[in-house]
């Protein structure tokens, strides 16, 4: 099951991250060349300029996505990068996400001696659980585990399961928050878009 | 923002929900000088932010309810979760309502005459019938003439009904075999573009927020009122109504603004439209030597006969996809049992399109992730199906809204006290609803199921009956025109005037009465 940039854009659109400027190219992620080592964006890479989170943060978010998304998900890097860059258009969210991801990376370097993104997936999963992120309440300005739950894990889970492709993986191609329910609510299955129930002549509007 | 009073106002409306918004719009359009005082804020901006607030834990609710401003007390046998039941703000509780709209039946207006219970309204269905049609146009109701149990109507709904859902089709076969008739639901959401708002696109979060604007909220009437010249002052908390020396006229509404300033809004006419709880609170807070038990309360009925609708439900899981949570509204109902007399309480059945969990919300609350989470969601989503029902609660004097003088809000005013219990007769009606639902689920072959019945029921958040309408000033608060018996220029708009509540969602009737009240008030203005 392959995630696409279009999936990320669909979720962002549901969150109101649109406007006339939104397009696929609008969310082209920054390249390594356009940012310094810890990630300050040059703003000249076709992404969102100074709003784009640092490279290290994007890498940490992608690495976290590879853990919290199901193993059947492909295209995680492109999907997460697009979502994170789009989300960063909200300054407050951008700053909080950058801070949380940076803290996660710092913990990985302190505890594991390597960047979070460089750890094997199993170690990333273990580290998050050892931090209590799996059972923590999501709190924007709470403890470290609460902030990681809100700004990293739940941000990613929201992006995934509110997307048509992520929803489809668990049985619903139009999860709530995605504007498409009136196109799908009458279908009997995800795979039969033309299959609509018989109104029996009693429900005609 | 300038929140100072308006000079030379003809009408002061307290509350900017549907009851106040419609009155304000109609009167402003007819040339009256109208000011609306609303306790809550305007919720401007992109509703998709509020959609995220609803879906994602940790962001708080979208409508800012709760806290010291909205403190309340609950007494009686059943806890009443008041702050889940209302919204303070421009648009009122239509901001978070689901948008189901249907007319009361003829029997609802004459329950005492027909069955010797409850109360008669001083008006009948025929009196309200043209106003119901007007209300359907005002709200933009999508509906069909396929309901054989609905009261008579002479014109189609303004918008075509939403087509039935896939899960409706699952129910349809079982109901057909049982002789249970399904029909469309009246929905105050656009099935086609209407009144400057788009058609529904199916975000699936109707309650508590519609990001597309397809669902009607009273914001549209408030905006129309402003366009017609009305002035709307938000965050203006009315704390008292003052009357003249004779006690026959209200002269001013005293309100406090966020800067702590208190102002007095004078007007020729006053309309109270802040819901079945705050209407009462304001009247009781406005006591005086002339009205020691509260303004307009010589009958003693202010706050009494509080009613809500009770929820009954049943559901389970099928062995095939039920396609839930694509849209946040229902497309089929059954009013077949509404007029039955054993028990006499009205009931209507709903076929839910949002049974069971939504994967995205479950995911955000889960204690795991990765493949474990996917397995959990695979198990939890996809095959739920359920029915709901609204059941009538008859008016009882000992269900009431009062003041808890021992508890104050952040301005130091006593908070409302909700004293609410569910009587045995209502419990019998809940059991009957469960019985019908169980027959349907049996027919579907669902063995492992849940029910919400008399022991687990909760309110539907429809506040009714606390300033009841009637011909006898000793028994009621307002007359058939919704004007207070005690004061010449005090009108009450909303479901607090309902003598009985039926079992239909109340907002269409609120809107119809508001249109009618505006007509009467216009005549009173001369």
């Amino acid at each position: 099951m392959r995630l696409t940039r279009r999936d990320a854009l669909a979720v962002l659109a549901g969150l109101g991250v649109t406007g006339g400027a939104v397009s696929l190219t609008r969310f082209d992620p920054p390249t390594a060349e356009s940012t310094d080592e810890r990630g300050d964006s040059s703003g000249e890479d076709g992404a969102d300029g100074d709003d784009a989170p640092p490279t290290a943060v994007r890498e940490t978010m992608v690495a976290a996505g590879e853990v919290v998304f199901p193993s059947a998900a492909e295209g995680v890097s492109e999907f997460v990068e697009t979502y994170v860059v789009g989300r960063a258009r909200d300054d407050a969210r951008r700053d909080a996400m950058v801070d949380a991801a940076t803290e996660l990376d710092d913990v990985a370097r302190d505890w594991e001696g390597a960047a979070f993104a460089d750890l094997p997936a199993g170690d990333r999963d273990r580290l998050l659980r050892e931090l209590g992120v799996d059972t923590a309440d999501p709190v924007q300005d709470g403890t470290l585990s609460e902030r990681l739950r809100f700004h990293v894990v739940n941000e990613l889970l929201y992006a995934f399961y509110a997307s048509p492709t992520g929803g489809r993986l668990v049985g619903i191609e139009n999860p709530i928050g995605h504007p498409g329910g009136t196109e799908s609510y009458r279908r009997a299955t995800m795979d039969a878009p033309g299959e609509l129930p018989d109104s029996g002549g009693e429900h005609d509007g | 923002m300038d929140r100072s009073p308006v000079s030379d106002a003809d009408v002061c409306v307290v509350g900017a929900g549907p009851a106040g918004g419609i009155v304000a719009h109609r009167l402003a359009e007819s040339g009256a000088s109208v000011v609306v005082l609303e306790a809550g804020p305007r919720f401007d901006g992109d509703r998709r932010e509020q959609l995220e607030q609803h879906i994602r834990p940790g962001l708080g609710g979208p409508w800012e309810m709760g806290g010291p401003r909205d403190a309340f007390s609950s007494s009686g046998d059943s806890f009443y979760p008041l702050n889940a039941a209302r919204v303070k703000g421009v648009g009122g509780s239509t901001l978070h309502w689901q948008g189901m709209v249907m007319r009361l039946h003829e029997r609802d207006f004459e329950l005492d005459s027909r069955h010797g219970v409850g109360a008669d309204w001083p008006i009948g269905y025929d009196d309200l019938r043209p106003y119901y049609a007007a209300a359907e146009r005002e709200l933009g109701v999508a509906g069909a003439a396929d309901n054989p149990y609905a009261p008579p109507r002479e014109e189609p709904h303004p918008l075509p009904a939403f087509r039935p859902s896939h899960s409706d089709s699952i129910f349809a076969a079982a109901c057909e075999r049982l002789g249970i008739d399904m029909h469309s639901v009246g929905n105050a959401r656009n099935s086609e573009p209407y009144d400057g708002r788009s058609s529904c696109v199916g975000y699936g979060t109707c309650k508590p927020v519609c990001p597309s604007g397809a669902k009607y909220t009273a914001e549209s009437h408030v905006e129309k009122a402003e366009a017609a010249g009305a002035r709307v002052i938000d965050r203006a908390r009315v704390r008292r109504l003052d009357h003249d020396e004779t006690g026959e006229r209200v002269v001013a509404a005293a309100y406090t603004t966020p800067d702590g300033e208190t102002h007095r809004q004078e007007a020729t006419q006053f309309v109270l439209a802040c819901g079945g709880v705050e209407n009462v609170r304001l009247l009781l807070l406005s006591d005086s030597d002339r009205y020691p038990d509260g303004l307009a309360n010589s009958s003693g009925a202010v706050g009494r006969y509080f009613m809500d609708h009770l929820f009954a439900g049943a559901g389970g899981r099928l062995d095939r996809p039920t396609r839930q949570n694509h849209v946040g509204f229902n497309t089929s109902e059954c009013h077949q049992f509404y007029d039955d007399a054993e028990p006499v309480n009205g009931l209507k059945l709903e076929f839910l399109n949002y049974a069971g969990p939504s994967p995205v919300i479950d995911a955000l609350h889960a204690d795991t992730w990765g493949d474990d989470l996917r397995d959990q969601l695979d198990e939890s989503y996809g095959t739920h199906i359920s029915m709901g029902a609204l059941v009538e609660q008859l008016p009882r004097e000992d269900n009431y809204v009062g003041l808890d003088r021992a508890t104050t809000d952040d301005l130091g005013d006593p908070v409302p006290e909700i004293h609410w219990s569910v009587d045995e007769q209502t419990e019998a009606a809940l059991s009957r609803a469960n019985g019908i639902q169980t027959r349907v689920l049996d027919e579907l072959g669902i063995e492992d199921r849940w029910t919400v019945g008399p022991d687990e029921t909760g309110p539907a958040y429809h506040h009714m009956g606390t300033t009841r309408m009637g011909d006898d000033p000793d028994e009621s608060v307002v007359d058939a025109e919704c004007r207070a018996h005690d004061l010449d220029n005090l009108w009450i708009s909303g479901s607090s005037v309902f003598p009985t509540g039926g079992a239909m969602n109340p907002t269409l009737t609120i809107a119809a009465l508001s249109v009618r009240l505006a007509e009467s008030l216009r005549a009173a203005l001369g």
Side-chain angles (χ1 to χ4, degrees):
Chain A
M1 186 240 15
R2 173 162 288 279
L3 295 161
T4 64
R5 282 196 301 167
R6 196 170 294 278
D7 280 306
L9 291 171
V11 180
L12 290 167
L15 290 169
V17 185
T18 52
V22 166
S23 68
L24 285 173
T25 54
R26 177 74 170 169
F27 289 102
D28 281 343
T31 62
E33 291 74 25
S34 67
T35 57
D36 64 27
E37 185 180 355
R38 287 289 284 186
D40 290 337
S41 171
S42 71
E44 297 175 353
D45 55 9
D48 257 17
D50 291 338
D51 291 339
T55 300
V57 166
R58 300 197 307 274
E59 290 173 350
T60 300
M61 294 297 286
V62 170
E66 289 168 351
V67 169
V68 302
F69 295 170
S71 58
E74 299 172 3
V76 171
S77 177
E78 187 175 47
F79 174 81
V80 172
E81 290 254 13
T82 306
Y83 180 79
V84 166
V85 169
R87 206 70 168 103
R89 296 180 71 181
D90 178 331
D91 290 342
R93 286 293 178 81
R94 175 190 185 280
D95 292 347
M97 185 195 302
V98 167
D99 288 348
T102 301
E103 284 186 272
L104 176 60
D105 193 49
D106 287 345
V107 170
R109 291 173 190 272
D110 288 345
W111 291 11
E112 307 289 338
F116 183 78
D118 291 339
L119 294 174
D123 289 352
R124 282 177 256 152
D125 181 89
R126 176 179 49 77
L127 181 62
L128 286 168
R129 292 179 194 274
E130 285 176 356
L131 285 167
V133 181
D134 51 344
T135 56
D137 290 331
V139 181
Q140 294 192 75
D141 55 355
T143 64
L144 175 61
S145 56
E146 291 169 339
R147 283 183 280 118
L148 290 176
R149 178 72 195 208
F150 186 94
H151 295 293
V152 176
V153 171
N154 270 15
E155 196 74 73
L156 292 165
L157 291 177
Y158 185 88
F160 185 82
Y161 285 107
S163 76
T165 299
R168 180 179 286 270
L169 190 68
V170 290
I172 180 167
E173 71 275 39
N174 279 291
I176 64 169
H178 181 257
T182 43
E183 296 296 318
S184 63
Y185 80 99
R186 300 184 62 219
R187 294 181 196 145
T189 68
M190 286 193 296
D191 299 317
E195 186 179 346
L196 298 174
D198 180 7
S199 70
E202 293 187 349
H203 298 278
D204 291 351
Chain B
M1 176 187 173
D2 177 16
R3 292 188 168 86
S4 58
V6 172
S7 57
D8 299 325
D10 295 318
V11 183
C12 172
V13 179
V14 184
I22 290 172
V23 170
H25 172 227
R26 291 255 163 169
L27 291 170
E29 202 173 41
S30 70
S33 169
V34 178
V35 58
V36 180
L37 302 175
E38 167 54 50
R42 288 177 191 266
F43 292 98
D44 292 333
D46 196 327
R47 288 286 152 81
R48 287 172 293 196
E49 293 176 11
Q50 288 162 318
L51 174 144
E52 187 189 3
Q53 288 175 331
H54 163 56
I55 294 175
R56 282 191 62 172
L59 285 172
W63 305 120
E64 300 180 14
M65 285 304 301
R69 182 195 70 168
D70 310 311
F72 69 97
S73 295
S74 175
S75 57
D77 295 337
S78 304
F79 176 77
Y80 198 91
L82 182 60
N83 285 334
R86 59 178 178 172
V87 175
K88 289 180 182 175
V90 172
S93 295
T94 57
L95 291 168
H96 80 154
W97 74 323
Q98 196 177 55
M100 300 169 75
V101 277
M102 49 281 296
R103 303 181 182 195
L104 290 173
H105 284 198
E106 293 98 321
R107 52 84 79 179
D108 294 318
F109 297 89
E110 46 200 48
L111 211 52
D112 185 25
S113 297
R114 288 197 189 199
H115 300 293
V117 298
D120 285 350
W121 292 46
I123 57 174
Y125 174 75
D126 284 343
D127 296 310
L128 209 52
R129 183 170 166 174
Y131 298 100
Y132 269 129
E136 287 166 348
R137 291 190 295 272
E138 293 290 333
L139 272 54
V141 177
D146 64 340
N147 180 353
Y149 306 100
R153 54 181 304 124
E154 58 288 288
E155 58 186 273
H157 293 83
L159 292 164
F162 286 90
R163 304 273 288 176
S165 66
H166 172 67
S167 69
D168 287 345
S169 73
I170 295 173
F171 279 118
C175 287
E176 175 75 21
R177 291 192 293 274
L178 293 170
I180 294 174
D181 297 325
M182 295 172 66
H183 49 76
S184 62
V185 180
N187 271 299
R189 64 178 44 74
N190 291 353
S191 56
E192 296 175 350
Y194 183 82
D195 201 22
R197 294 179 287 118
S198 71
S199 56
C200 176
V201 294
Y203 275 98
T205 58
C206 308
K207 186 177 172 63
V209 59
C210 170
S212 73
K215 183 184 78 173
Y216 169 84
T217 78
E219 293 163 290
S220 64
H221 276 103
V222 173
E223 289 167 7
K224 289 177 187 176
E226 288 180 294
R231 171 127 181 268
V232 178
I233 304 175
D234 73 343
R235 299 180 192 267
R237 294 165 65 178
V238 179
R239 303 169 65 191
R240 182 178 178 86
L241 299 175
D242 291 331
H243 60 72
D244 64 6
E245 289 183 2
T246 69
E248 293 176 355
R249 295 185 69 82
V250 176
V251 293
Y255 63 94
T256 298
T257 52
D259 58 8
E261 293 292 315
T262 294
H263 305 274
R264 283 168 54 82
Q265 176 63 58
E266 298 180 353
T268 307
Q269 302 284 339
F270 289 81
V271 179
L272 209 49
C274 40
V277 173
E278 296 293 343
N279 280 351
V280 170
R281 184 192 191 201
L282 183 51
L283 291 173
L284 296 181
L285 286 172
S286 303
D287 58 350
S288 66
D289 290 343
R290 172 71 176 79
Y291 297 102
D293 297 323
L295 190 67
N297 194 24
S298 62
S299 65
V302 168
R304 298 285 174 185
Y305 308 107
F306 175 66
M307 298 173 284
D308 204 324
H309 296 133
L310 282 307
F311 179 80
R317 302 190 71 167
L318 284 174
D319 57 0
R320 57 188 187 278
T322 57
R323 308 281 289 160
Q324 300 294 299
N325 286 309
H326 287 256
V327 292
F329 59 92
N330 294 329
T331 38
S332 290
E333 283 198 332
C334 171
H335 297 177
Q336 183 173 349
F337 307 98
Y338 191 91
D339 291 349
D340 292 354
E342 292 295 333
V344 70
N345 306 56
L347 72 87
K348 67 148 177 157
L349 300 169
E350 301 167 345
F351 301 90
L352 305 187
N353 288 331
Y354 38 82
S358 157
V360 62
I361 292 177
D362 263 14
L364 297 171
H365 287 87
D367 284 348
T368 190
W369 47 64
D371 287 340
D372 284 349
L373 175 58
R374 180 195 167 168
D375 291 344
Q376 280 188 23
L377 300 179
D378 272 342
E379 204 292 315
S380 66
Y381 177 73
T383 58
H384 290 268
I385 197 163
S386 65
M387 297 177 66
L390 286 191
V391 167
E392 177 174 23
Q393 181 174 40
L394 296 173
R396 288 172 31 155
E397 192 173 5
D398 55 353
N399 280 330
Y400 64 83
V401 175
L403 292 180
D404 175 2
R405 294 191 181 275
T407 308
T408 53
D409 66 12
D410 58 342
L411 293 179
D413 293 323
V415 304
E417 173 199 1
I418 317 299
H419 187 94
W420 185 64
S421 302
V422 181
D423 61 283
E424 289 182 3
Q425 186 173 329
T426 306
E427 291 176 348
L430 288 160
S431 295
R432 180 163 187 253
N434 283 156
I436 300 167
Q437 292 163 339
T438 298
R439 286 171 57 206
V440 177
L441 297 182
D442 283 346
E443 189 66 25
L444 286 170
I446 298 174
E447 295 178 357
D448 184 16
R449 58 177 170 246
W450 55 265
T451 58
V452 172
D455 294 335
E456 309 90 4
T457 188
Y461 305 154
H462 302 151
H463 306 150
M464 301 173 289
T466 51
T467 62
R468 61 179 4 195
M469 171 197 289
D471 290 327
D472 184 350
D474 292 331
E475 302 274 332
S476 56
V477 179
V478 299
D479 63 17
E481 307 302 315
C482 298
R483 173 156 43 182
H485 291 300
D486 291 346
L487 294 113
D488 292 340
N489 67 339
L490 178 62
W491 309 72
I492 299 180
S493 185
S495 53
S496 64
V497 306
F498 293 8
T500 61
M504 298 298 182
N505 307 58
T507 302
L508 187 70
T509 304
I510 291 172
L513 285 171
S514 300
V515 173
R516 186 169 176 271
L517 185 160
E519 204 169 275
S520 301
L521 205 162
R522 179 68 258 176
L525 283 170

